[in-house]
Amino acid sequence: MDLLNTLVDKGLRRELPTRDEALAVLATSDDELLDVVAAAGKVRRHWFGRRVKLNYLVNLKSGLCPEDCSYCSQRLGADTGILKYTWLKPHEASEAAAAGLAGGAKRVCLVASGRGPTDRDVDRVSDTIKAIKEQNEGVEVCACLGLLSDGQAERLRGAGADAYNHNLNTSESTYGDITRTHTYADRVDTVQKAHAAGLSACSGLISGMGETDQDLVDVVFALRELDADSVPVNFLIPFEGTPLAKEWNLTPQRCLRILAMVRFVCPDIEVRIAGGRELHLRTLQPLALHLANSIFLGDYLTSEGQAGKADLEMIADAGFEVESADQVTLPEHRRRGGCGSGSDAQGGDAQEGSGCGSGCAPAEAPESAAQAEPGGARTDLVAVRRRGAGTDVAPNA
């Protein structure tokens, strides 16, 4: 296809595609899907080789959020049955992080629900960052705490944070349909504050919320304009008890086209498959590794992901390798202060709380899963997290 040849050439030169070209990727047919994956895979391998970066989420404070984000299991008034607990102590968070690091993760993403941190919250998280870094040499730490006030990003940077995550989630034109308690501009402002403080900016999107192709292209172009170092791509987890519980409109093929489009628009940026990958990509997860160079290991914020061992086996079986702590994620021309200077670029993420990360499928699905219609609702794959941080049960990393 002339389109794909053009997009590969542009990706290798870091040239921005046109919006029409990005839309055309989303409009390709299932018959063309492997060609699309192969083309975007060339761009991914050019900038990142066959390395896959592993990241690990620690939910510092679960539920109890005053915001009304329609996609979120932690939203105000949601009846989703998730774990609810207040702030983990620094040593508890450090212990939780250790499980992910032992499983091969090189970055720990510290997430807390809420509109944004108070100055006391920043002190808590700063103490947690220091505790994790004291016990794990070379570990990268990303914070995801919601909307930042002036000076807070600088304090997190001073405490040792490498990155800050705050997702745009959807296009500016439709943002008000998803969230009413804060604005799209508020989110942009926080990403800019993180950048200005020398933190590596991580910001991504959630697909599957009923958005149009134009919405998807708009938010990805906005992320490139913001110059995020890392772009997490979430696939909506339709939790029962949230306004978007009935939005089951993603297929594995659709998810791959979205990831390919993001790779073409952001060729030299860390693209992470975040919340919902097990739920929506299912058996096509290995193909997604040809498009993205980063994933989460194990569980998410309030939902279960596949076992860390299964993640590692999938990476190896697909012919990829886990990125080691001494390897730099970003290409040299993108390295800057903060994480990009000797680490990588991304933060917590997936789909919940302060704009960060939720997840999806349990390690084993019930037998009834096999009877579900292809592309239909897979409620059997949505499992609330009952292990790891905030519990006495070991995590699945």
Side-chain angles (χ1 to χ4, degrees), residues 205-266:
L205 63 141
I206 304 172
S207 58
M209 297 192 292
E211 71 281 339
T212 65
D213 284 1
Q214 186 66 56
D215 289 324
L216 287 171
V217 170
D218 284 351
V219 68
V220 176
F221 270 69
L223 290 166
R224 170 145 174 174
E225 185 175 348
L226 272 177
D227 198 27
D229 290 320
S230 178
V231 174
V233 180
N234 297 279
F235 305 108
L236 177 71
I237 301 165
F239 272 95
E240 289 295 330
T242 65
L244 298 182
K246 305 304 180 185
E247 290 287 344
W248 289 87
N249 49 41
L250 291 172
T251 65
Q253 295 85 355
R254 170 74 168 169
C255 294
L256 290 171
R257 282 190 283 269
I258 292 169
L259 287 167
M261 185 270 288
V262 176
R263 175 54 71 198
F264 286 130
V265 177
C266 305

Side-chain angles (χ1 to χ4, degrees), residues 82-328:
I82 63 166
L83 291 169
K84 295 181 181 180
Y85 53 85
T86 191
W87 291 94
L88 298 182
K89 293 180 172 58
H91 76 274
E92 293 172 326
S94 183
E95 290 173 3
L101 295 171
K106 65 181 289 184
R107 166 165 289 193
V108 174
C109 305
L110 302 175
V111 189
S113 63
R115 178 179 178 85
T118 64
D119 287 340
R120 184 182 178 189
D121 294 335
V122 173
D123 289 339
R124 285 192 182 100
V125 176
S126 296
D127 290 342
T128 298
I129 293 169
K130 292 172 184 175
I132 291 172
K133 292 216 161 189
E134 284 174 1
Q135 297 177 33
N136 301 278
E137 184 177 356
V139 66
E140 300 169 9
V141 177
C142 174
C144 177
L145 312 174
L147 301 172
L148 292 175
S149 301
D150 289 345
Q152 291 183 329
E154 287 79 5
R155 291 173 60 195
L156 290 168
R157 179 77 176 114
D162 299 289
Y164 196 83
N165 167 252
H166 200 62
N167 296 329
L168 297 187
N169 288 331
T170 192
S171 68
E172 182 175 12
S173 63
T174 60
Y175 194 84
D177 298 331
I178 300 299
T179 303
R180 297 184 183 278
T181 48
H182 60 266
T183 67
Y184 179 92
D186 290 332
R187 287 187 172 266
V188 170
D189 178 68
T190 286
V191 176
Q192 292 173 334
K193 280 185 169 70
H195 250 325
L199 292 166
S200 176
C202 164
S203 189
L205 63 141
I206 304 172
S207 58
M209 297 192 292
E211 71 281 339
T212 65
D213 284 1
Q214 186 66 56
D215 289 324
L216 287 171
V217 170
D218 284 351
V219 68
V220 176
F221 270 69
L223 290 166
R224 170 145 174 174
E225 185 175 348
L226 272 177
D227 198 27
D229 290 320
S230 178
V231 174
V233 180
N234 297 279
F235 305 108
L236 177 71
I237 301 165
F239 272 95
E240 289 295 330
T242 65
L244 298 182
K246 305 304 180 185
E247 290 287 344
W248 289 87
N249 49 41
L250 291 172
T251 65
Q253 295 85 355
R254 170 74 168 169
C255 294
L256 290 171
R257 282 190 283 269
I258 292 169
L259 287 167
M261 185 270 288
V262 176
R263 175 54 71 198
F264 286 130
V265 177
C266 305
D268 58 340
I269 293 171
E270 179 189 351
V271 175
R272 177 176 303 175
I273 318 169
R277 67 174 164 94
E278 299 94 332
L279 182 67
H280 294 294
L281 282 161
R282 300 191 288 277
T283 57
L284 295 192
Q285 286 185 73
L287 278 181
L289 296 176
H290 291 272
L291 308 170
N293 61 298
S294 180
I295 66 171
F296 282 108
L297 181 74
D299 288 335
Y300 300 90
L301 292 181
T302 64
S303 59
E304 295 182 356
Q306 71 184 19
K309 183 175 183 290
D311 288 335
L312 297 175
E313 290 174 347
M314 176 181 71
I315 291 168
D317 289 347
F320 292 87
E321 62 184 31
V322 173
E323 185 172 290
S324 64
D326 60 353
Q327 290 177 305
V328 180

Side-chain angles (χ1 to χ4, degrees), residues 8 35-45 260 263-264 290-291:
V8 170
D35 293 331
V36 172
V37 172
K42 291 180 182 178
V43 178
R44 181 252 199 265
R45 289 191 301 277
R263 175 54 71 198
F264 286 130
H290 291 272
L291 308 170

Side-chain angles (χ1 to χ4, degrees), residues 6-41:
T6 297
L7 288 170
V8 170
D9 289 344
K10 287 186 173 183
L12 299 183
R13 299 194 306 267
R14 294 187 289 136
E15 182 180 338
L16 183 66
T18 67
R19 290 177 182 267
D20 285 343
E21 288 167 341
L23 286 167
V25 173
L26 297 177
T28 53
S29 68
D30 287 351
D31 288 341
E32 299 166 314
L33 183 62
L34 289 181
D35 293 331
V36 172
V37 172

